[in-house]
Amino acid sequence: MPGPAAGTAHAATTTDVVCLGESMVTFLPSQPGRLADVPSFGRGIGGAESNVACALAAAGHRAAWVGRVGADGFGDHLVETIAGYGVDTSAVRRDPDRPTGIYFRTATDRGAGAHEVAYYRAGSAASAMSSDNVPYGEVFAGRILHLSGITAALSGDCLALLRELTAERPGRPLVSFDVNHRPHLWRGGDASVLLELARRADLVFVGEDEAEEAWGIVGAKAIRAALPEPSVLVVKRGSAGATVFSGLRPGPRSSNAGGAESGPVSRSAEGGGAESAPASRSTEGAGAGNAPDTVTHVPALHVDVVAAVGAGDAFAAGFLSATLRGLPVRDRVRHGHLMAAAVLTVPGDLTEPPARDHADRLAALDDGAWGRLRLGPGWTAADRAPEEVRTS
């Protein structure tokens, strides 16, 4: 697959973020219980990359989703629903021979022992994505290209595609990669390829739990040692919050500079002004050939959780949104937490994010107020001043 001409990838950019990956129709249970006992299901959509695109579009950014769906009713539903969020779906391809993937899940937390998911995605249209049928020009048309490890697990062609998209080349947009390790997708496979792909990205999201499960790596510092290449590494630590390692890396991956809302995005997380009252910030060595890291830790919010599904995608969307706006690291993480809190307080994978000025006010709280903040169902519609938000 030929790449774009050097220096032309951002010449006429009108898209902020392009997200590539599989989206599926999801069936949500009408009540708690085993799949065998649930009498009916409501239809929705689910897919890590399309979730990110929808959240970004709902937050006011220009987002595009690139994928492959079947020439069937479920494919129609996916494309129409995602487009309904304001996402550009013009680069989505229809497969006349393969179906759109679907899945059913229970209402319990994904991490709970009673949680069940039944996937019907083997041989799906998305699993046939390859360097031969993905519209390369559209994929590289944005300021950021967002990918995830789920795509790499779908097929050999999909893995080869991600290797191609993350290869170093002049004019490549900033590549964001969410590891998104799903154990059931890697049964009989080698999840170490996710480490390989992450090392080729500029911005990486990974959970401490998935790094341990996929690679046997324990702790944020050890994860950074295994991933020295990305300019920004976001280690999600569950209820403990998130730790960001940031430091400009040498090399030809991207010639972008800046971080303003209308310009190309910097590979460094340090643009956008001085940080205000960071929760925890330090400088650490990053290994030979790399500048020392700035390490920023931001505590998680207290959230009255309705359903713990889609929060990781929402966190990535919030962080990317703040990155596009050139905000400092602490605020990027806080916007990630806020976007995740919006999804955690609804039953499905997607919801309307808080208004930008509302989220900005909350992200600007001092550390004490941030630590006392508690968000529950309906908080995104309240749009109250910070001192009026329920705290404890």
Side-chain angles (χ1 to χ4, degrees):
M1 176 175 62
T8 65
H10 301 288
T13 295
T14 58
T15 303
D16 292 322
V17 182
V18 175
C19 303
L20 177 144
E22 180 177 37
S23 192
M24 295 181 290
V25 173
T26 176
F27 290 90
L28 308 174
S30 58
Q31 64 185 45
R34 303 183 308 155
L35 286 179
D37 301 328
V38 175
S40 60
F41 296 81
R43 186 180 63 175
I45 65 170
E49 300 84 3
S50 60
N51 285 349
V52 171
C54 289
L56 284 167
H61 298 285
R62 297 161 298 187
W65 173 58
V66 177
R68 192 173 182 85
V69 300
D72 50 35
F74 287 146
D76 294 340
H77 176 67
L78 275 178
V79 174
E80 292 167 6
T81 303
I82 293 170
Y85 280 87
V87 176
D88 180 355
T89 59
S90 61
V92 176
R93 299 296 187 257
R94 308 301 289 260
D95 191 316
D97 302 315
R98 299 174 180 85
T100 303
I102 65 172
Y103 71 98
F104 297 76
R105 68 170 175 84
T106 53
T108 52
D109 185 345
R110 180 181 282 133
H115 184 67
E116 297 176 72
V117 183
Y119 287 99
Y120 299 90
R121 75 197 310 176
S124 70
S127 69
M129 286 190 295
S130 73
S131 57
D132 294 326
N133 59 32
V134 164
Y136 202 94
E138 286 89 338
V139 170
F140 277 85
R143 300 166 62 199
I144 296 175
L145 171 62
H146 181 70
L147 308 168
S148 100
I150 293 174
T151 306
L154 298 180
S155 67
D157 282 343
C158 285
L159 173 57
L161 172 63
L162 258 62
R163 282 178 167 145
E164 178 71 23
L165 295 178
T166 56
E168 294 184 2
R169 56 167 49 88
R172 190 186 84 170
L174 184 147
V175 173
S176 166
F177 182 75
D178 193 334
V179 171
N180 257 330
H181 176 245
R182 297 289 184 266
H184 66 275
L185 289 176
W186 291 99
R187 291 183 187 128
D190 182 8
S192 67
V193 300
L194 297 176
L195 187 62
E196 170 202 334
L197 292 170
R199 295 183 69 175
R200 296 154 68 105
D202 302 302
L203 165 60
V204 173
F205 300 94
V206 61
E208 275 191 325
D209 54 346
E210 60 186 347
E212 182 174 2
E213 186 170 20
W215 310 322
I217 300 173
V218 180
K221 289 184 179 180
I223 295 171
R224 182 50 158 172
L227 285 169
E229 293 87 357
S231 295
V232 182
L233 171 64
V234 183
V235 179
K236 297 176 291 182
R237 307 177 66 192
S239 61
T243 299
V244 180
F245 298 84
S246 54
L248 190 62
R249 297 295 183 254
R253 293 184 177 189
S254 172
S255 59
N256 299 339
E261 244 180 295
S262 60
V265 182
S266 172
R267 290 172 55 214
S268 170
E270 293 304 300
E275 295 202 31
S276 171
S280 176
R281 196 165 184 254
S282 61
T283 302
E284 297 181 359
N290 289 329
D293 273 327
T294 297
V295 183
T296 306
H297 178 72
V298 180
L301 289 164
H302 302 287
V303 180
D304 297 330
V305 177
V306 173
V309 179
D313 304 329
F315 179 92
F319 191 96
L320 290 173
S321 173
T323 298
L324 286 162
R325 296 172 60 199
L327 300 184
V329 179
R330 186 206 68 170
D331 291 358
R332 298 182 193 197
V333 180
R334 285 189 171 187
H335 277 278
H337 285 321
L338 289 165
M339 196 82 84
V343 170
L344 287 168
T345 50
V346 298
D349 290 25
L350 293 166
T351 189
E352 190 72 19
R356 180 175 287 189
D357 61 345
H358 185 192
D360 283 345
R361 291 198 303 269
L362 295 180
L365 290 173
D366 63 48
D367 287 352
W370 178 264
R372 294 189 300 272
L373 192 62
R374 189 179 190 98
L375 301 174
W379 75 269
T380 58
D383 196 19
R384 292 169 289 180
E387 62 272 15
E388 298 175 88
V389 174
R390 181 162 60 93
T391 59
S392 61

